[in-house]
Amino acid sequence: MRDDAVRMLSGPNQREWLARNTRYDPETGRLLVWNIITWKWCLATSENILELCPLSVRGFGDPDDIWTDVRSKASRQSYDPQQRGDTPDYSEAERSAWLRESRRRKCLPERIEIFNVIEVDPSVRTVLWA
């Protein structure tokens, strides 16, 4: 059985994650967050921070408070489009095992949901197809 408990990062680990996966673009004055799904730098705003920053990093709370907290802790390292954030390299066997363990069928056989890696909450799943 899958352990779906949310494991929050400790303060030092949270700051390390933010240092690796956030950038400040001095030309535009904007904060960028590395999207762990698409592996691209994305413009971070108070409206989309919940979609970019994993729950284990941002914790629970009001989106405005989370945005303020992420901005205050985020690294002020200059943005370099050639630099990447966390991009783990998984084998095909590891990918298949994750997919097998992270999906479930709903009542209708044509509807499959998958574990949401941003929310890391067993009640939040993304519909693959319906």
Side-chain angles (χ1 to χ4, degrees):
M1 179 174 248
R2 186 181 165 87
D3 178 9
D4 288 325
V6 176
R7 288 174 176 76
M8 297 297 179
L9 294 179
S10 65
N13 289 338
Q14 181 189 47
R15 286 187 291 278
E16 277 182 36
W17 191 94
L18 289 168
R20 288 190 316 271
N21 295 287
T22 61
R23 293 291 178 269
Y24 178 73
D25 187 348
E27 291 181 16
T28 62
R30 295 183 172 174
L31 182 67
L32 302 165
V33 174
W34 182 253
N35 186 318
I36 62 171
I37 305 281
T38 63
W39 293 356
K40 295 180 182 175
W41 291 106
C42 296
L43 175 64
T45 65
S46 58
E47 288 81 32
N48 73 353
I49 195 64
L50 299 180
E51 298 163 15
L52 294 174
C53 197
L55 182 61
S56 62
V57 175
R58 63 178 159 82
F60 297 96
D62 180 80
D64 290 334
D65 294 339
I66 292 166
W67 170 245
T68 301
D69 190 40
V70 168
R71 285 190 65 200
S72 70
K73 292 178 182 172
S75 169
R76 288 298 192 183
Q77 297 179 37
S78 294
Y79 170 62
D80 176 1
Q82 301 303 316
Q83 189 176 23
R84 301 174 67 158
D86 290 350
T87 51
D89 189 22
Y90 297 109
S91 69
E92 196 55 42
E94 289 171 314
R95 290 177 199 201
S96 296
W98 182 87
L99 186 58
R100 196 172 44 254
E101 295 168 7
S102 301
R103 67 181 180 186
R104 68 178 178 196
R105 287 195 180 274
K106 290 297 278 181
C107 299
L108 302 173
E110 65 276 1
R111 184 176 169 132
I112 295 179
E113 295 177 328
I114 193 163
F115 190 73
N116 186 316
V117 297
I118 295 291
E119 291 296 329
V120 193
D121 179 343
S123 66
V124 178
R125 295 194 178 243
T126 303
V127 175
L128 290 178
W129 54 84

